[in-house]
Amino acid sequence: MVAYVIVPGIGGSGEEHWQTLWERRWGHDAARVVPRSWDEPDLDDWVDAVDRRVTDLARRGDEVVVVAHSLGCWAAVEWDARVDREGRLARDERARRAPVAGMLLVAPPDPAGEAFPRAAAPSFSGLAVRPLTCRSTVVASSDDPYCAVEVARGFASGWGSAFRNAGHLGHLNAASGLGEWDWGRAVLDDLVRV
């Protein structure tokens, strides 16, 4: 059985966001991370929130797939970078947990870009792009105001991810009018089937 960890960006993905719609459809097979604040994100807190959800779902015996959007992509990849080979966060002695089977990383913002929310999320600045330990796909838009498509393609290359261009759809959020976003679900299905 596949279970999904939902990692939204700043604001937590509202009612009309595709992440929320997918989460509703999946029911108990999905769990959203719960950081202390959606509006004043702290990287360590968000990484811990990802770890809690992944660990919870892995304990059920599910194959875990992370579905991240925007700033949530950076929380997910930083979580992956901090987990050692024995499945523990490098800075603590948490119980061993199963690795994730895959990550769908949608619309990662460019930390070096002008639109990056440095004031709201200073702890997310200056993160390194390192190869991920699981299979992954980056989805970006040709006209995302938070990240040029060439930069997103570079993130995908550095993470060892497949790359998919969604076309001219802005930040791939509720304002993009995606609804259930069937195209995105097809990309996720391809990732899960591998």
Side-chain angles (χ1 to χ4, degrees), residues 17-92:
H17 196 288
W18 57 268
Q19 279 185 311
T20 302
L21 299 174
W22 291 5
E23 182 181 3
R24 281 190 204 127
R25 176 179 283 191
W26 290 325
H28 93 286
D29 291 330
R32 184 177 295 235
V33 300
V34 184
R36 283 190 300 266
S37 174
W38 287 114
D39 299 319
E40 296 176 0
D42 174 76
L43 181 61
D44 289 339
D45 175 49
W46 281 34
V47 166
D48 285 345
V50 172
D51 190 62
R52 284 191 302 273
R53 283 297 186 235
V54 168
T55 301
D56 289 347
L57 294 180
R59 280 187 186 136
R60 296 187 337 196
D62 293 324
E63 180 178 56
V64 178
V65 174
V66 173
V67 178
H69 178 257
S70 192
L71 198 63
C73 295
W74 287 104
V77 300
E78 183 64 14
W79 168 80
D80 182 78
R82 292 183 185 186
V83 173
D84 69 18
R85 290 181 190 177
E86 294 184 7
R88 291 189 206 65
L89 283 177
R91 60 185 166 72
D92 66 24

Side-chain angles (χ1 to χ4, degrees), residues 1-190:
M1 181 68 98
V2 176
Y4 301 93
V5 172
I6 309 294
V7 189
I10 290 178
S13 295
E15 293 300 307
E16 300 303 316
H17 196 288
W18 57 268
Q19 279 185 311
T20 302
L21 299 174
W22 291 5
E23 182 181 3
R24 281 190 204 127
R25 176 179 283 191
W26 290 325
H28 93 286
D29 291 330
R32 184 177 295 235
V33 300
V34 184
R36 283 190 300 266
S37 174
W38 287 114
D39 299 319
E40 296 176 0
D42 174 76
L43 181 61
D44 289 339
D45 175 49
W46 281 34
V47 166
D48 285 345
V50 172
D51 190 62
R52 284 191 302 273
R53 283 297 186 235
V54 168
T55 301
D56 289 347
L57 294 180
R59 280 187 186 136
R60 296 187 337 196
D62 293 324
E63 180 178 56
V64 178
V65 174
V66 173
V67 178
H69 178 257
S70 192
L71 198 63
C73 295
W74 287 104
V77 300
E78 183 64 14
W79 168 80
D80 182 78
R82 292 183 185 186
V83 173
D84 69 18
R85 290 181 190 177
E86 294 184 7
R88 291 189 206 65
L89 283 177
R91 60 185 166 72
D92 66 24
E93 290 299 317
R94 292 188 182 198
R96 186 180 173 103
R97 61 110 186 116
V100 297
M103 289 189 184
L104 180 67
L105 304 166
V106 178
D110 178 4
E114 290 182 19
F116 191 78
R118 282 175 198 78
S123 60
F124 283 78
S125 296
L127 295 177
V129 175
R130 296 171 281 219
L132 295 171
T133 62
C134 62
R135 65 184 182 265
S136 56
T137 300
V138 172
V139 176
S141 162
S142 299
D143 59 351
D144 187 337
Y146 296 98
C147 187
V149 70
E150 302 82 24
V151 174
R153 188 183 302 274
F155 293 155
S157 178
W159 289 329
S161 306
F163 179 78
R164 300 292 299 271
N165 186 333
H168 299 291
L169 292 171
H171 194 46
L172 299 169
N173 56 11
S176 301
L178 300 173
E180 290 272 347
W181 198 30
D182 293 335
W183 185 86
R185 284 289 305 274
V187 171
L188 176 63
D189 289 347
D190 287 345

